[in-house]
Amino acid sequence: MAWAYLTSDGEPESIAEAKSLPDWELWMEATMAELAGLKKMGVFEVVELPKGRKAIGSRIVFKVKTRDGVLVRRKARIVAKGFSQRYGVDYSDTFAAMAHPSAIHLVLALAAMNN
């Protein structure tokens, strides 16, 4: 008998757990759809790894999408293990989009004026 530890929503925590489930093929389809979407959007490209460097790991996060308590579909997201990156070695700059407070004020004022 195979045991899988699922989240409270019935989501596997790893590929190994997903493979042990009777609906593994549906989870695999969700994973392949995610990969195809990333390729289509040009999110990544396969390149030679520089000598002496290690690739950043990744994992798959599984989610069950429901509507009114009924399963609609299974979703898989491929996420990077960014916590393993080192400043100055793997990256040198960080970027976070920020809205200037005056821009937010303008949008709220326009919204208030136009109901």
Side-chain angles (χ1 to χ4, degrees):
M1 173 179 241
W3 290 93
Y5 297 98
L6 305 173
T7 63
S8 60
D9 293 328
E11 300 160 347
E13 290 286 323
S14 67
I15 289 180
E17 289 177 16
K19 284 182 177 181
S20 71
L21 299 173
D23 59 353
W24 158 241
E25 302 213 353
L26 297 172
W27 287 113
M28 184 63 177
E29 284 177 22
T31 303
M32 297 310 290
E34 168 73 356
L35 187 56
L38 292 174
K39 282 183 180 180
K40 182 179 177 183
M41 291 185 292
V43 172
F44 67 92
E45 60 184 86
V46 178
V47 297
E48 284 281 326
L49 196 59
K51 188 175 181 172
R53 302 294 292 275
K54 287 195 261 183
I56 295 169
S58 63
R59 69 178 297 243
I60 299 174
V61 176
F62 297 104
K63 286 287 184 196
V64 172
K65 298 294 183 175
T66 60
R67 184 173 291 128
D68 300 323
V70 177
L71 186 139
V72 176
R73 69 185 183 127
R74 289 163 181 81
K75 191 145 180 85
R77 288 281 180 225
I78 300 172
V79 296
K81 294 182 179 178
F83 57 81
S84 63
Q85 294 179 317
R86 295 175 313 230
Y87 181 77
V89 176
D90 298 312
Y91 67 96
S92 58
D93 293 321
T94 57
F95 173 78
M98 297 288 294
H100 197 276
S102 61
I104 294 171
H105 185 257
L106 175 65
V107 170
L108 292 175
L110 290 171
M113 288 174 30
N114 293 308
N115 289 328

